[in-house]
Amino acid sequence: MSVRDHLSISPEVGKALADGRPVVALESTIITHGMPYPQNLEMAQRVGAVIRRNGAVPATIAIMDGKLKVGVEAGDLERLAKAGGKAAKASRRDVAALLVSGAMAGTTVATTMMAAAWAGIQVFATGGIGGVHRGAETTFDVSADLKELSQTQVAVVCAGAKSILDIPKTLEMLETNGVPVLGYKTEDFPAFWARQSGQKVDHRIESAEDAAKVIALQFELGMGGVLVANPIPESHAMDGKAIEARIEEAIKGAEAEGVSRKDLTPFLLKRIFELTEGKSLIANIALVENNAAVAAEIAVAMSELGAKAKPKDKA
Ligand code: PSU
Ligand code: MN
């Protein structure tokens, strides 16, 4: 058996990859643990449509039926969305055990990156990445997403990180791990619901073509992943201070209820949606769609670069 025996790639995604057409990976913890049903299903369907409109093929990744599915199809997507938090949350360390048990699981950014790389997908869209939690100096709660970015050759398009995390520490860890952080038309690292965190990115890029060039070179040099930080659209951005107050309230709630480790991110997301009366959920969906569009443009630009590098007669 090899790694490929544990992947189940949908016919559509398999064909696109074989033809060298652009494909964008999507994570599924955002579906199972990041949003409630039915908004999670609507979000997943809309994001798929956005990727297609922008010229690429969407490939949602999840663990189902003892396989790492790459390109979750309509019926399975519905099963996953309905299961929500009853499904497992698969970080890297959970993958082997979940494949053996056959349990259904949403894959985190770390696990989705790993599966995407195995399948040959180079670009991945999500909402926000995991990072260094506030208080990590005592809890050691640092998302496996950061380590995965350091070692796996996939470009992740996100809207920065939520300020449920310690953003300066998250950026320090990315630097330590050698992960380039590219600001998409911005100098400021975005803070998910807010367009700015007050922290600078390493490099500002102005177009999907320029992003594709940096990503292709990073991979050619044998280095790890790339983070593309794309701010939430102006029309949906929320007031930084107002959301900060809600975040602090949610963190206090988690402390009071003793929520920690892998349950912490889903708990905080749910509390913040409740505390903002769903406004943060609408913004969340808008920013994921925006990331999907940029990821598709980057995937298209990367496949054009690949086509240039490989003359047709040699293909
Ligand atoms: N951040 C968000 N929304 C999410 C997540 C993070 O704003 O849905 C999910 C992603 O799947 C991410 C995971 O990879 O949570 C990180 O979990 P942890 O902090 O336990 O590593
Ligand atoms: Mn954690």
Side-chain angles (χ1 to χ4, degrees):
M1 296 276 274
S2 70
V3 168
R4 289 198 81 82
D5 296 318
H6 301 284
L7 300 180
S8 166
I9 303 179
S10 73
E12 186 195 17
V13 171
K15 176 112 195 1
L17 289 170
D19 296 347
R21 280 185 289 123
V23 176
V24 174
L26 296 163
E27 61 144 318
S28 48
T29 294
I30 192 176
I31 302 171
T32 53
H33 292 74
M35 291 180 192
Y37 180 82
Q39 287 93 337
N40 59 353
L41 180 60
E42 285 161 24
M43 178 276 304
Q45 291 164 339
R46 276 163 60 176
V47 164
V50 168
I51 291 173
R52 288 183 201 286
R53 255 203 320 277
N54 285 279
V57 172
T60 301
I61 294 178
I63 295 180
M64 300 177 93
D65 312 316
K67 295 280 179 198
L68 261 165
K69 291 208 180 176
V70 179
V72 172
E73 292 174 309
D76 280 345
L77 198 61
E78 208 170 314
R79 267 209 294 154
L80 200 63
K82 281 195 175 138
K86 289 198 192 79
K89 172 180 163 186
S91 190
R92 184 184 233 269
R93 55 98 186 260
D94 304 301
V95 172
L98 290 167
L99 290 176
V100 168
S101 75
M104 179 161 42
T107 50
T108 63
V109 169
T111 307
T112 306
M113 284 183 77
M114 194 169 69
W118 281 335
I121 303 171
Q122 296 182 311
V123 184
F124 164 16
T126 184
I129 57 159
V132 180
H133 277 271
R134 296 189 192 180
E137 59 276 26
T138 51
T139 61
F140 275 48
D141 191 346
V142 178
S143 175
D145 294 354
L146 299 184
K147 179 138 191 283
E148 202 66 44
L149 277 162
S150 75
Q151 63 192 33
T152 300
Q153 295 196 321
V154 172
V156 180
V157 182
C158 70
K162 290 200 167 111
S163 51
I164 57 174
L165 302 173
D166 186 322
I167 292 180
K169 286 197 183 77
T170 299
L171 290 169
E172 286 292 352
M173 276 297 280
L174 287 165
E175 179 181 342
T176 303
N177 286 337
V179 180
V181 178
L182 307 181
Y184 191 74
K185 300 181 183 168
T186 182
E187 269 117 53
D188 224 286
F189 187 70
F192 203 81
W193 293 295
R195 285 176 59 85
Q196 299 184 330
S197 67
Q199 304 290 318
K200 294 277 171 252
V201 296
D202 306 326
H203 304 279
R204 175 182 171 133
I205 40 143
E206 299 300 338
S207 67
E209 288 70 28
D210 285 351
K213 283 184 200 155
V214 176
I215 294 161
L217 186 49
Q218 168 89 354
F219 295 173
E220 199 178 303
L221 294 171
M223 297 198 279
V226 175
L227 192 64
V228 178
N230 180 36
I232 183 171
E234 208 96 55
S235 55
H236 285 83
M238 296 176 72
D239 176 58
K241 283 207 185 76
I243 195 87
E244 184 57 35
R246 303 284 95 87
I247 289 168
E248 271 161 26
E249 205 174 332
I251 291 176
K252 279 208 191 90
E255 280 164 7
E257 292 184 37
V259 180
S260 68
R261 302 183 65 199
K262 71 188 300 178
D263 299 327
L264 182 58
T265 301
F267 176 92
L268 294 175
L269 297 181
K270 183 158 175 281
R271 271 310 278 150
I272 294 164
F273 293 151
E274 289 164 4
L275 292 168
T276 60
E277 288 150 357
K279 281 202 203 84
S280 64
L281 179 55
I282 292 167
N284 196 344
I285 294 171
L287 68 85
V288 178
E289 285 183 28
N290 188 41
N291 294 342
V294 170
E297 285 175 27
I298 293 174
V300 168
M302 290 199 61
S303 85
E304 280 162 7
L305 282 180
K308 251 192 249 156
K310 210 191 297 170
K312 269 231 151 54
D313 53 353
K314 289 198 194 135

